[in-house]
């Protein structure tokens, strides 16, 4: 474990965990925050296109130099109830630098005002537009936390709707079961400086809306996971999502979907957003290699 990892984890532990209880989450959501603005560094290095789809902004970033034509749709985390933050832009920027891919970042509506049904209508439109622009180039789905779970759900939607499948899924600390009922979660809760089951389960119920919380488009772990694209997962060991990421990997591989789980035992939830940590840079390097290799096929 690097010193930077240890120090960052300690700083995170000093901050209040809004997911500790449903009440603490509801209190935090009474004061909603806006999405983090696009950093000036990305505005300088990328051609930025903004459009509105079904009332939601979609931001597309194409590197001004070294663009490869590969497309990535990146879905941000936040337990479906919190907006895009600066760490999400750091992940996107790091992957653009490493891959030359064009990144599309859809700002999907958040619960409780919006639900999974709203998101899939919106993302279906976004995905079809990216496919059309990509032509013969590969299209990846990526995301962190709930955004990674939503990326899996979108791949399930593509499979079930007969759409061209993504070239692969790049998932950072994915939330693949909003029920939070895995019995192995309890042992990790005290070690996780960011998450807790009670508040997350409440956010998951809000996101499900009229669907069951076990619906595969809400909790992809409950899908068969057959006939999905190759999947790579980057996961911290101090993260209560680890048990479900392990269960997902086992189930997907058993179903014939090639899935690789990389675990950094000392890392926290979505540690790749902390680019000053050596382990984060290593994970991003590995993830970027998967995107680049598809572009060369």
């Amino acid at each position: 474990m690097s010193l930077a990892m240890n120090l960052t984890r300690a700083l995170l532990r000093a901050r209040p965990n809004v997911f500790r209880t449903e009440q603490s989450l509801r209190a935090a959501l009474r004061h909603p925050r806006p999405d983090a603005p696009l950093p000036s560094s990305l505005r300088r290095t990328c051609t930025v296109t903004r459009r509105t789809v079904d009332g939601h902004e979609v931001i597309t970033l194409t590197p001004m130099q070294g663009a490869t034509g590969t497309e990535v749709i990146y879905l941000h985390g936040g337990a479906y109830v919190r907006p895009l933050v600066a760490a999400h832009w750091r992940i996107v920027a790091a992957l653009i630098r490493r891959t030359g891919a064009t990144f599309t970042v859809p700002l999907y509506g958040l619960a409780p005002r919006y639900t999974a049904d709203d998101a899939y209508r919106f993302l279906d439109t976004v995905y079809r537009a990216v496919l059309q622009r990509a032509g013969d180039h590969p299209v990846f789905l990526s995301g962190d936390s709930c955004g990674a779970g939503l990326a899996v759900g979108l791949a399930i939607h593509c499979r079930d709707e007969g759409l061209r499948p993504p070239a692969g899924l790049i998932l950072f600390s994915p939330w693949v079961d909003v029920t939070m009922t895995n019995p192995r979660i309890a042992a990790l809760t005290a070690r996780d400086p960011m998450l807790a089951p009670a508040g997350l389960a409440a956010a998951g119920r809000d996101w499900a809306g009229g669907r069951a919380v076990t619906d595969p488009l809400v909790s992809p772990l409950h899908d068969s996971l057959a006939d999905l694209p190759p999947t790579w997962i980057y996961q911290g060991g101090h993260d209560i999502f680890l048990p479900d990421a392990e269960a997902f990997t086992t189930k997907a591989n058993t179903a014939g979907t090639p899935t690789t789980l990389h675990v950094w035992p000392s890392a926290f939830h979505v540690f790749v957003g902390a680019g000053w940590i050596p382990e984060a840079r290593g994970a991003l390097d590995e993830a970027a290699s998967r995107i680049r290799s598809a572009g060369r096929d």
Side-chain angles (χ1 to χ4, degrees):
M1 175 177 63
S2 68
L3 177 61
M5 177 71 78
N6 195 25
L7 290 174
T8 304
R9 202 175 61 209
L11 288 172
L12 288 170
R13 192 168 293 284
R15 298 168 57 185
N17 184 343
V18 300
F19 297 104
R20 188 66 60 195
T21 65
E22 180 174 352
Q23 291 72 24
S24 61
L25 176 65
R26 301 292 181 210
L29 295 180
R30 291 191 197 107
H31 306 285
R33 298 175 300 176
D35 292 299
L38 185 67
S40 58
S41 58
L42 282 172
R43 294 198 300 270
R44 288 194 302 270
T45 58
C46 296
T47 299
V48 180
T49 302
R50 298 175 184 264
R51 65 191 183 106
T52 300
V53 176
D54 294 337
H56 302 290
E57 188 173 26
V58 179
I59 302 172
T60 299
L61 304 162
T62 302
M64 294 177 182
Q65 296 183 345
T68 63
T70 295
E71 299 268 355
V72 180
I73 297 174
Y74 191 89
L75 301 168
H76 72 82
Y80 296 120
V81 295
R82 310 196 88 187
L84 181 149
V85 298
H88 299 133
W89 286 129
R90 289 197 292 269
I91 296 168
V92 168
L95 290 173
I96 290 175
R97 286 196 304 272
R98 286 165 166 84
T99 65
T102 293
F103 270 66
T104 294
V105 183
L107 302 182
Y108 57 90
L110 303 177
R113 180 178 178 184
Y114 296 96
T115 68
D117 283 340
D118 299 308
Y120 285 107
R121 284 193 295 270
F122 166 58
L123 293 175
D124 180 271
T125 303
V126 172
Y127 184 76
R128 290 172 189 268
V130 171
L131 282 182
Q132 184 174 19
R133 183 173 68 233
D136 294 333
H137 293 289
V139 176
F140 282 82
L141 299 181
S142 184
D144 65 277
S145 193
C146 72
L150 188 54
V152 181
L154 184 54
I156 291 169
H157 170 81
C158 293
R159 179 199 66 195
D160 294 348
E161 294 296 318
L163 293 172
R164 170 184 154 188
L169 304 180
I170 307 292
L171 310 178
F172 303 109
S173 304
W175 190 20
V176 293
D177 187 356
V178 306
T179 70
M180 302 304 295
T181 53
N182 190 317
R184 294 179 53 221
I185 289 173
L188 282 171
T189 299
R191 300 171 64 189
D192 191 321
M194 300 174 67
L195 304 177
L200 287 167
R205 291 192 296 272
D206 286 348
W207 181 249
R211 293 178 178 264
V213 290
T214 54
D215 187 299
L217 293 184
V218 177
S219 294
L221 181 57
H222 294 270
D223 186 71
S224 71
L225 303 183
D227 301 316
L228 294 179
T231 299
W232 294 272
I233 300 174
Y234 304 87
Q235 180 68 50
H238 285 231
D239 182 343
I240 60 175
F241 290 166
L242 174 60
D244 284 333
E246 292 173 333
F248 180 96
T249 300
T250 299
K251 186 174 184 179
N253 280 314
T254 300
T257 293
T259 301
T260 303
L261 172 63
H262 300 274
V263 179
W264 282 259
S266 62
F268 49 86
H269 183 62
V270 195
F271 67 99
V272 293
W276 54 89
I277 297 175
E279 294 90 338
R281 295 194 293 272
L284 289 165
D285 287 344
E286 209 287 331
S289 74
R290 302 302 174 182
I291 297 171
R292 290 196 308 272
S293 64
R296 292 193 294 266
D297 290 344

